Amino acid sequence: MQFGFKKHSSCAHALFVMSQVADDFLCHGNSVYLALLDASKAFDRVNHVKLFNKEIDRGLRGNIVKILIDWYGKVYYTVKWNECFSRCVIVKSGIRLGGILSPLLFNIYIDSLILGLKSSGLGCHMRGLYLGCIAYADDLLLLSGSVVVHVF
């Protein structure tokens, strides 16, 4: 259900799916509720340890994960004020903006959220397909046939 950062997939595809779900529910006399979420600065907030664990959970093994751990483990920042420099601090979260792997890494990171929503049984289903969460990059559209609140 992630339409962003995928070949042959666009925002228009995500909007098409959303409109088809809404039309189907409304044509059958049912309500459909939408919640739009924009995860602000989502790329900056990706926790490296969680990302690497998700990669391993998805079956990435060996050298690929080791290379990514090494690559992201060498990111530091320091602040310069006038002619003084702060101490170096290791960056423990964030995906490199503009990196060729960054979209893939972000999709891996949020995939567990989408799978968790799917396995919860909450949200819209249409013809046996789960359509309760449509994602485009860091924007999420949640669709539901009810407004019942569930606490996890």
Side-chain angles (χ1 to χ4, degrees), residues 22-33:
D23 286 348
D24 187 72
F25 270 66
L26 296 173
C27 284
H28 289 94
N30 298 314
S31 297
V32 63
Y33 300 90

Side-chain angles (χ1 to χ4, degrees), residues 30 36 46 59 69 74-75 78 97 118 140 146 151:
N30 298 314
L36 301 167
V46 172
I69 289 171
K74 293 179 180 175
V75 179
T78 186
L97 296 176
K118 181 179 179 180
L140 296 173
S146 70
V151 179

Side-chain angles (χ1 to χ4, degrees), residues 21-145:
V21 171
D23 286 348
D24 187 72
F25 270 66
L26 296 173
C27 284
H28 289 94
N30 298 314
S31 297
V32 63
Y33 300 90
L34 308 173
L36 301 167
L37 304 171
D38 180 11
S40 96
K41 305 236 181 226
F43 269 55
D44 296 337
R45 297 172 193 241
V46 172
N47 179 285
H48 293 165
V49 173
K50 289 181 182 178
L51 173 63
F52 303 137
N53 285 333
K54 288 174 189 282
E55 290 169 359
I56 292 167
D57 291 345
R58 297 242 349 213
L60 291 175
R61 298 277 187 245
N63 291 334
I64 294 173
V65 176
K66 287 178 186 177
I67 289 169
L68 290 170
I69 289 171
D70 184 60
W71 189 37
Y72 276 93
K74 293 179 180 175
V75 179
Y76 299 88
Y77 70 88
T78 186
V79 176
K80 179 182 178 185
W81 180 263
N82 292 325
E83 295 304 315
C84 297
F85 290 89
S86 70
R87 63 181 175 83
C88 287
V89 177
I90 295 175
V91 176
K92 296 180 181 180
S93 63
I95 296 176
R96 296 174 183 217
L97 296 176
I100 195 164
L101 288 178
S102 297
L104 174 66
L105 296 175
F106 186 76
N107 280 352
I108 289 171
Y109 192 76
I110 68 159
D111 190 53
S112 60
L113 170 67
I114 296 169
L115 291 173
L117 288 168
K118 181 179 179 180
S119 68
S120 75
L122 302 173
C124 289
H125 291 79
M126 196 168 89
R127 293 172 185 73
L129 294 173
Y130 174 73
L131 299 166
C133 176
I134 298 172
Y136 189 84
D138 64 346
D139 297 314
L140 296 173
L141 173 63
L142 304 176
L143 298 105
S144 178

